[in-house]
Amino acid sequence: MEHFLEQVLNGLQLGLMYALIALGYTMVYGVVQLINFAHGDVFMVGAFLGYFGFAVWGLPLPVAILTAMVACALLGVIIERVAYRPLRYAPKIAALISAIGVSLFLEYFSSLKFVFGPNYRVVPRPFPEVHWNIAGLSVSNIQVIVFVVVLFMLILLQILIYRTKTGMAMRTVAVDHNAARLMGVNVDTTISITFAIGSAFAALGGVLYAIAYPQIHPFMGIMPGLKAFTAAVLGGIGIIPGAVLGALIMGQVETLTSAYISSQMRDAIAFAILILVLLFRPTGLLGRTETEKV
Amino acid sequence: MKLSRNTFFYFAGAVFFFALVKAMQFSGMLTPYWQLVLDQALIIVIGALGLSIIYGFTGQFSLGHAAFYGLGAYTAGALDKVYGNGNMLFFFLSLLTGAAVAGLVALLIGLPILRLRSDYLGIATLGFGIIVRVGMENGNKLFPVLGGATGMSGTPQVAHFDLIFILTLIVILLVRNFIFSTYGRACTSIREDEIAADVMGIDTTRYKVMAFVLGCALAGLAGGIYAHRYPFLHPASFDFLKSFDFLLIVVLGGLGSMTGTIVTAVGWVFLLEVLRVVLGQNFIDWRGVIYALILVVSIIVRPQGLFSGKELRLLIPDHLKMLTGKEHTHAGSGN
Amino acid sequence: MRKKFWSILLVVLLSLALVVTGCGGQGKTETQGASGEKVIKIGFIAPLTGDVKTFGESAQKGFDLALEQAGYKAGDFKIEPVKADDRNDATEAVNVATKLITQDGVKAIVGSLTSLTTIPISKFANDNKVVLITGTATSPKVTVDEGKRKEYIFRACFIDPTQGTVAAKFALEELKLKTAAILYDQGNDYTIGLANNFKEAFTAGGGQVLTMEAYAKNDTDFSAVLTNIAKKNPDILYLPDYYQKVSLIGKQARDKGIKAVFIGGDGWDSSDLDYKTMEGGYFTNHYSAQDPRPEVQNWVKQFKEKYGQEPDAFATLTYDATNLLLNAIKTANSDDPAKIKEALQNTKDFSIVSGEKVSFDENGNPIKPVTILKIEGGKQKFVTAIKPN
């Protein structure tokens, strides 16, 4: 039993890591209905900037994280301006292809020698790791920090979207650009803000991820990005709490599968479960059934 | 049977192209390297036409195309490795079996998941692609000949340009006839508006599954040819990132255009290799960067794709010319 | 109609232009070969872009340094390197190998990095009678496939079975450890090969493999399997992967309270290994940097001078492969691949970094001892050298 609980705790940590990325992913999707494949790579850039901040330039950790977040927010806005805005009224798929292009660009450009370089870097711990023993389970301070940050992000996003003017503008833009414009919403600014916040969260996630799994390289964003996106879809993409729910479920499924069924078949079983869930809930666990356009 | 005018020109064009390639082969202008690249381009054309049917014409967002490509490659490759030994008959049989297996799997997976819409369908097919990849990595536990993660070699390398070219011609004709048939029209109507199509009495599930099976079978066929042209199969060659390649070919070519898919597929394969030659040895590591930039710029310049909804005359059956007038099919709107 | 005409014309022109560029490239190489001095072209294939670019660049450093030390000369021949990138993709590898062999006219190739890309190009090189020597591709299938020896193909590293077997024997006989857990990457045949052979030899020698677990290439969280392994409490945790993955796993294993001795393979050999975590671990390697032999000392010193870092296994093995090839060209003093192949096969008592007096067995694999190193005090420490079999 204790063993089982420990595995659940492992799954929780993994799930929270996915949630960290999935939240930004799903928020951007919610507003612009674009699968932003470059999100995982912004996450990578954030991890690198955070690493340079506290390990190379010697900034205090909070300053390093803040720097990474600001820089990535800027990066997100630039990406949107350059690669997505010209395609806003084109078929949705065009923006998706552009996102794939941006993602490849960030990966290959970062791995050039004068940028981040292609090698794997070991990230030193910015603070000593502490383990607490609670009822036979070992909990580390990093796990607690990640948990708190995810909770903080979730609450912040909910407040932002449902309690502020900007949030209202975002929700309006999500429904209909033209109607939003008629209502006096500045669509361009709103979308820029969305990307800025989403990318800043990606950077925050990236730094924490690099602290928890202390290794970074230019292609590190692909898999966590994909898994986080899958988690967001599982929870119902575009829905903020859905991203956390989906991520936690993904984490448990992956961990429990590799602990009790087969570590070889883990990904296959995790995705089979995803497909099954989608068959019964075609718009994800918390997704609303879409009204059909006739 | 009277050969219609466009079909005649289609074959004439094909013969001309074939003669051109042959002439360049003999004069030594077409080196084995560019020959290989051309063969690869034709293989990608077949696979991409498959996705063109699924996504370009029927509007079903699939991110798992490479999985079917891989299924066909492994099936055909393993069959020919074990039973055939360079025998042409076995070669064709193995190709057909590869396509059939890919189609069958597509049928089994397509029946349930094609109920999903747009991005959800995309992620479900992507998940299926990952399942197939895990299956390939562990396939040697059931059939040692598949090699699992250590890869499979030993398939007779019998596919050469002549055969691949003829197969490509047949596939193009097949896809053309499908697209311009009642079935194809039904598929296009689903892409344009699924509910309206349903109301018009079109059995949308049936046509969606039909397009998906046909498209995946073509991917399987392409995979089978790949297995006979490239001497080594490895699960990494068929992972989800490869599905993106097919997707961007179809989108950059223009949704709902065979011409676009064919031209872009060839252009894409050549682009990757030409970049290698142009950049030379000092800028090798810029290849990925430049490729990504070209991708972003070209989609921004032509968001609707190269040939959205338009076809070369040669690819339209004669009796439809009057019907379609200037715009032959509707511009692809995606979803 | 008119617009269509233009688009057709454009397509035709584009394809013609492409073909012409291709031929232009070929013409150029021919004129170069005709200059007064005798020139031999050597190809180099490695992943120079993509997610294993860092390994490919290490290999490239080894290749460059070997050529530089030889003054770009072997016998009467001036060496002209032709480098190409395969992005660690089987399809691209075949494409570049075809380009190097049929277009650039290389007589020998050094590369590629992984078995995944080397197996297909070794077949192509062998069919076209071009010598290929790989520094780092460990799968037996590289030189022998379907029971047939590809006689133009050689390698500088051990094949998968060697390291796994030696590690198992060492663990049983020297360390006197009896139980093991194995963790490997199920998508990478290098780690699968080492894992399987370790298991076989360890069980045959009377040890017990408690569990064998897999992970995927891009995993960063191993807590689930490590929790299971911790419960079984093995004496050994065998981790046959590259340094970066092993560092991650090792860290998490210690966090889970696993006290087992870590044992691994040559993939560990890098200054980027997390030495603090891997303290007390053993790994099988090709050489020890403390070995006083001049080949080794020269290599380590000059590499540090040129690149400001310690050489890793990829660099060392590619350096050795290049030197073996240069020696063969010198011995044969010919640019005929058939003669180079003969000379390579008959290599006798040639000293390279990873072995003294190396020769090849009938399958093109080098006969050299396996060095066992221990991570102690943040450094690699020589333990013993074992002759396989």
Side-chain angles (χ1 to χ4, degrees), chain A residues 147-195:
Chain A
F147 178 74
V148 172
V149 168
V150 168
L151 208 64
F152 164 78
M153 279 165 71
L154 177 65
I155 294 170
L156 198 73
L157 275 181
Q158 286 294 61
I159 292 175
L160 176 82
I161 291 177
Y162 292 102
R163 295 269 186 280
T164 66
K165 269 215 141 129
T166 320
M168 199 190 283
M170 283 177 179
R171 280 179 291 144
T172 331
V173 170
V175 178
D176 190 329
H177 285 184
N178 287 326
R181 196 168 282 130
L182 288 175
M183 295 293 132
V185 174
N186 188 333
V187 175
D188 284 344
T189 313
T190 309
I191 290 181
S192 289
I193 292 175
T194 309
F195 271 89

Side-chain angles (χ1 to χ4, degrees), chain B residues 164-216:
Chain B
I164 301 175
F165 184 69
I166 292 169
L167 283 167
T168 313
L169 285 187
I170 297 174
V171 166
I172 294 176
L173 269 188
L174 181 90
V175 175
R176 182 197 81 164
N177 287 354
F178 176 81
I179 300 279
F180 291 101
S181 67
T182 10
Y183 302 109
R185 292 272 155 197
C187 290
T188 317
S189 72
I190 293 173
R191 178 193 71 195
E192 293 298 315
D193 193 328
E194 190 168 338
I195 293 165
D198 211 4
V199 172
M200 297 301 286
I202 288 168
D203 183 349
T204 50
T205 311
R206 178 165 162 243
Y207 285 105
K208 282 199 282 187
V209 172
M210 183 191 288
F212 191 64
V213 169
L214 180 62
C216 291

Side-chain angles (χ1 to χ4, degrees), chain B residues 104-127:
Chain B
L104 192 70
V105 174
L107 180 69
L108 293 178
I109 185 80
L111 272 175
I113 70 170
L114 281 170
R115 292 189 301 144
L116 301 173
R117 295 283 162 98
S118 65
D119 295 338
Y120 293 97
L121 177 61
I123 210 72
T125 44
L126 191 146

Side-chain angles (χ1 to χ4, degrees), chain A residues 52-210:
Chain A
F52 281 123
F54 70 75
V56 181
W57 302 327
L59 302 174
L61 185 64
V63 182
I65 292 181
L66 218 61
T67 319
M69 285 175 75
V70 171
C72 282
L74 207 65
L75 178 67
V77 173
I78 294 172
I79 291 174
E80 194 273 331
R81 180 70 56 89
V82 174
Y84 303 154
R85 188 171 295 179
L87 297 170
R88 191 174 298 158
Y89 300 103
K92 227 175 73 186
I93 185 70
L96 180 71
I97 298 294
S98 193
I100 295 176
V102 172
S103 156
L104 290 174
F105 176 79
L106 289 177
E107 285 157 14
Y108 283 98
F109 189 71
S110 307
S111 60
L112 290 178
K113 259 188 224 76
F114 61 89
V115 191
F116 297 149
N119 47 330
Y120 293 84
R121 290 164 190 264
V122 179
V123 179
R125 287 270 147 93
F127 46 79
E129 194 175 352
V130 185
H131 284 271
W132 295 293
N133 215 319
I134 301 167
L137 293 177
S138 159
V139 180
S140 75
N141 52 349
I142 292 176
Q143 285 169 323
V144 174
I145 292 173
V146 171
F147 178 74
V148 172
V149 168
V150 168
L151 208 64
F152 164 78
M153 279 165 71
L154 177 65
I155 294 170
L156 198 73
L157 275 181
Q158 286 294 61
I159 292 175
L160 176 82
I161 291 177
Y162 292 102
R163 295 269 186 280
T164 66
K165 269 215 141 129
T166 320
M168 199 190 283
M170 283 177 179
R171 280 179 291 144
T172 331
V173 170
V175 178
D176 190 329
H177 285 184
N178 287 326
R181 196 168 282 130
L182 288 175
M183 295 293 132
V185 174
N186 188 333
V187 175
D188 284 344
T189 313
T190 309
I191 290 181
S192 289
I193 292 175
T194 309
F195 271 89
I197 296 172
S199 305
F201 277 7
L204 175 60
V207 182
L208 286 181
Y209 196 90

